[in-house]
Amino acid sequence: MLGKVLKYDIKSMGKSLFPLYLAILITAIVIRCFGFLAESFGVFKIINDLITGLFIVLLIGTFFYTFFVAIKRYYKNLYADESYLTHTLPVKVDTLLSSKVITSLIYIIVSSITVTLGLLIAMDMTAVIDLVKVFLQQATIMFETQKLTIIIFGLLFMLLSYMTYVFMAYAGISLGQSHSNNKIVFSIVYCIALYYIGQIIMLIFLGIMMFSSPELITNLNNNTTDADAAKNIMLFALGADALLCIAYYAICHNRLKNLNLQ
Amino acid sequence: MNWHFENDRPIYVQLVETLKLFIVTKKFKPGQRLLSVRDLAFEAKVNPNTMQRALAELESMGLIYTERTNGKFVTKDTKLLNHYKKEMALEKVNTYFTAMGKLGFTKTEALKYLKGDEK
Amino acid sequence: MLVECKNVNKNYGKVKALKNINLEIPEGKIIGLLGPNGSGKTTLIKLINGLLTGEGEIFIKGKSVGPESKKIVAYLPERTYLDMNMTVNEVINYFQDFYDNFDANEAYKLLEKLGINTKDKLTTMSKGTKEKVQLILVMSRKADLYILDEPIGGVDPATRDYILETILTNFQVGASIIISTHLISDVEKILDEIIFIKNGEIYLTGSADELRREKGKSIDEIFREEFKC
C-alpha cells in the first residue's frame, strides 16, 4: 500500500515542481550560451548579468517553493476536500503519513541536485569549487575526520534540519485542524509555538548536558580534544533534530488517528 | 407500461394492483415469462425488495407461478383471470356508487346517470 | 447485521451532535437516513467512514472502523473529493489501485453511456458532470455498504432520475445502501426502511411501506408533521 500512496504523492508534487526544474535547467543553458556569446559581443554580457541575477533568485526560491509544495500537499491531501477520499481509502494512517515524509525527502534532494546542476551548467564554478575545497580542508582539520565523512554528515545535517521544519509544519497543521474554527490561524500559531518549544527543549537539554558532563564539549579535563568537542556538538545537533522529528511525527500520527474532519 | 405510484400508500400494495391489472388485461400474456425481479424492478423504478414482495403476493394469489430454473410465468388459468377481472370490475362499480352517494344521489338515481337517462 | 452502532456519542466542544445512538442496519436493504439539516445525519455518516472520532462503538460486518471496514464501504460525500487535476482515466486507475472490489469496466461503461470523455480533466467539467463521475465511481465498487450523502441535492430532474436509476441497477444482492437526504419525496419510493433523526437522536425507525400503511401518508408528509418548525 505504501508504494501506491507514494506513487500518487510523488506524481502530485512532481506536477508542481517539474516545471520549475525544467525552467532552471533551460535558464542555466541559456546563461551558459549567452556567456559564450558575451565573450564576443559585449551587449550579451549585460543581458546575461540580468538573467543570472534572476537565476540566483530562482535557485534560492526553489528551496522555499519545495518546502511550500510539501506543506501544501500534506494539507490538501489530508485535510481539504480531497481528504474525504484519502481517509476512506483502506490504508493505515502510518502509511499515509510515511508517504508524505518520504516524498518531501525525495523532492528536497531532487531540488538540491537540480539547483547544483543548474549552477554548474550556468557558470564557471571554479572559484566556488575552490572555496568549497578550502572549507572542506578546514573542516577536516577541525573535526579530524575524512573529507567524505564531512560531506556525508554535512549533507545529513542539512537534510535533517530541513525535515525538522517540514515535520514541524505538518504537526502545526494537524494540530490546527483539530479546532472547529480559525483552523489556519491556529495552525500558524501552533507552528510558531512548536518552533519555540523545540528550541527551548534543545537549550534545556544542552544546559543539562553542559552541567552534568561538560567534558563532552570542553577540555576541562584535558581528555577531550577540540575535535572531539566539535564532533559531539554536531552529534548533539543531529540527535536533537532527530528527536524533534520523532516528536512532531508522533503529534501528526496522534492527530490523524483521532481525525475530526468537519 | 404505465408504472405510476403514489407515495402515501404502501408501494408494494400499489405494485400488486398494477401487476394484477397488467395480467388481467393481458398486457402480460397468459403463460408469458416475466423478466427477472431486478429487471422488472428497474422497469418499474422500484426497489427490487419491493418487487420481490409484490411478486410473492401475486404468486400466493395464483396469478404467477415459479418454475425453478426457468423463472416466473404468468398463469394460463383463464378462469382465475376472469375471476379477478370480475372482482376488479365490481370494485369499480362500488367506487362509482360510493362517489355518487357522497354527492347525495341514491343508487337508483346513480344508475340513471349510468344509463344516460339523466341529461 | 451489517452495521451496528452502540452508544455512539459525538460532541463538538459543548455541542452534542449525536446522543447515545443505538442502531442496527441490516443487509440487502435501501435505507433512508432522514432528518433536517444539523440533525446529525452527516456526523453519523462520517463516524461510520472514519472521518470523525467519537465515543461508543461502530462495527461494520463485525469490523471496527479502519482499513478493513473501509474496504467494504463505498462513500459518496456531498462535496467533490477528487483531485481536480486528474483526468477521469487517472481517477479510475486510482480507484483500481486502492480498491480490490472496484469494477473499472463497469465504470467505463457507465461513463460512456453518459458521453463523458475519460481523457478530460475534472477541472474542465461542469458541477453536474463531476457529481455523476463521483457517483459512477462509487457505484462501480462491489461494496457491502454504500453510503450516499445527499446524492440528489442540487441537480436537475433528469440527473436525479439517472442517479436513482444507477442506484437501483447497482444494488448488489446482500449489499445495503444508506441514502441520507432531506429531499424525501424524490427518493422515498425506493426506500425499504427509514430512519428519522432529529437533534442527534434517533426518532423513528421502520419499514417505509408499513409506516405508509399505518399512517396513511407518504413518508414526506410524516416527516413534515414530525419535524414541524
Side-chain angles (χ1 to χ4, degrees), chain A residues 2-257:
Chain A
L2 179 59
K4 292 178 190 171
V5 184
L6 268 174
K7 175 170 127 185
Y8 287 99
D9 274 335
I10 290 173
K11 238 183 175 176
S12 172
M13 279 181 68
K15 277 187 186 164
S16 303
L17 288 168
F18 272 104
L20 180 61
Y21 296 156
L22 203 66
I24 290 174
L25 294 173
I26 291 176
T27 315
I29 294 171
V30 167
I31 292 176
R32 181 62 99 165
C33 293
F34 274 30
F36 284 135
L37 290 168
E39 281 166 29
S40 321
F41 305 102
V43 63
F44 278 103
K45 185 151 196 326
I46 303 167
I47 301 173
N48 214 26
D49 285 341
L50 203 69
I51 299 178
T52 309
L54 292 170
F55 184 64
I56 301 294
V57 172
L58 187 68
L59 293 179
I60 297 173
T62 302
F63 293 106
F64 289 101
Y65 185 64
T66 309
F67 179 78
F68 170 74
V69 169
I71 304 310
K72 186 165 164 228
R73 175 72 185 165
Y74 184 83
Y75 171 75
K76 230 177 155 225
N77 192 247
L78 297 175
Y79 290 101
D81 282 348
E82 238 183 88
S83 67
Y84 276 62
L85 181 52
T86 313
H87 289 293
T88 47
L89 295 173
V91 171
K92 285 189 246 180
V93 163
D94 288 300
T95 313
L96 293 171
L97 196 49
S98 305
S99 173
K100 300 287 175 296
V101 173
I102 294 171
T103 310
S104 299
L105 200 58
I106 289 174
Y107 276 109
I108 189 61
I109 293 172
V110 175
S111 290
S112 306
I113 292 173
T114 310
V115 166
T116 312
L117 222 68
L119 279 171
L120 289 172
I121 292 174
M123 353 189 198
D124 186 6
M125 297 291 283
T126 40
V128 178
I129 292 174
D130 283 338
L131 260 172
V132 174
K133 281 196 181 154
V134 169
F135 172 77
L136 272 177
Q137 197 67 355
Q138 302 284 40
T140 47
I141 295 169
M142 189 166 96
F143 287 96
E144 279 177 16
T145 48
Q146 315 267 20
K147 269 196 218 146
L148 192 63
T149 321
I150 304 281
I151 293 173
I152 291 176
F153 267 90
L155 289 172
L156 210 71
F157 179 68
M158 288 193 278
L159 210 58
L160 196 55
S161 299
Y162 173 80
M163 288 310 291
T164 310
Y165 281 110
V166 171
F167 272 112
M168 191 186 78
Y170 283 176
I173 291 173
S174 285
L175 284 166
Q177 292 293 317
S178 301
H179 290 256
S180 318
N181 302 311
N182 301 320
K183 293 179 191 177
I184 298 185
V185 175
F186 270 113
S187 294
I188 297 174
V189 169
Y190 277 115
C191 283
I192 297 173
L194 285 171
Y195 174 74
Y196 281 113
I197 292 174
Q199 297 288 305
I200 292 171
I201 294 180
M202 278 225 279
L203 281 170
I204 293 176
F205 273 113
L206 189 66
I208 294 175
M209 193 181 76
M210 294 271 293
F211 257 116
S212 58
S213 30
E215 66 272 9
L216 280 175
I217 55 171
T218 61
N219 51 4
L220 277 176
N221 305 343
N222 277 323
N223 277 344
T224 322
T225 62
D226 284 341
D228 284 333
K231 279 191 213 158
N232 286 334
I233 292 176
M234 180 56 82
L235 283 171
F236 171 77
L238 280 172
D241 270 349
L243 280 171
L244 278 177
C245 286
I246 293 172
Y248 293 145
Y249 183 94
I251 293 174
C252 292
H253 183 95
N254 175 277
R255 290 293 83 208
L256 284 170
K257 265 244 140 120

Side-chain angles (χ1 to χ4, degrees), chain C residues 21-25 31-36 39 41 44 184 191-212 214-215 217-227:
Chain C
I21 302 283
N22 282 286
L23 193 62
E24 281 181 339
I25 291 173
I31 297 134
L33 183 57
L34 314 171
S39 53
K41 304 195 298 285
L44 182 59
I184 299 167
L191 301 174
D192 283 306
E193 320 241 320
I194 62 116
I195 301 169
F196 277 168
I197 183 167
K198 178 167 148 180
N199 290 330
E201 289 176 301
I202 305 281
Y203 207 71
L204 191 73
T205 59
S207 141
D209 269 349
E210 288 316 308
L211 265 167
R212 287 187 183 104
E214 232 181 82
K215 312 251 177 173
K217 301 195 172 104
S218 70
I219 305 293
D220 186 60
E221 284 170 297
I222 300 171
F223 179 87
R224 281 168 209 255
E225 276 180 13
E226 302 283 0
F227 294 100

Side-chain angles (χ1 to χ4, degrees), chain A residues 1 4-5 7-8 15 81-85 87-92 257-262, chain C residues 10 12 46 50-53 67 70-71 75 77 79-83 85-86 93-94 97-99:
Chain A
M1 271 300 171
K4 292 178 190 171
V5 184
K7 175 170 127 185
Y8 287 99
K15 277 187 186 164
D81 282 348
E82 238 183 88
S83 67
Y84 276 62
L85 181 52
H87 289 293
T88 47
L89 295 173
V91 171
K92 285 189 246 180
K257 265 244 140 120
N258 296 309
L259 199 58
N260 267 300
L261 291 177
Q262 289 166 242
Chain C
K10 176 63 187 167
Y12 292 118
K46 283 187 189 175
L51 297 172
L52 289 175
T53 13
K70 291 173 187 179
K71 279 186 191 163
Y75 174 43
R79 57 185 71 188
T80 33
Y81 66 164
L82 302 172
D83 183 351
N85 289 316
M86 285 195 188
N93 288 332
Y94 185 88
D97 273 341
F98 287 105
Y99 295 112

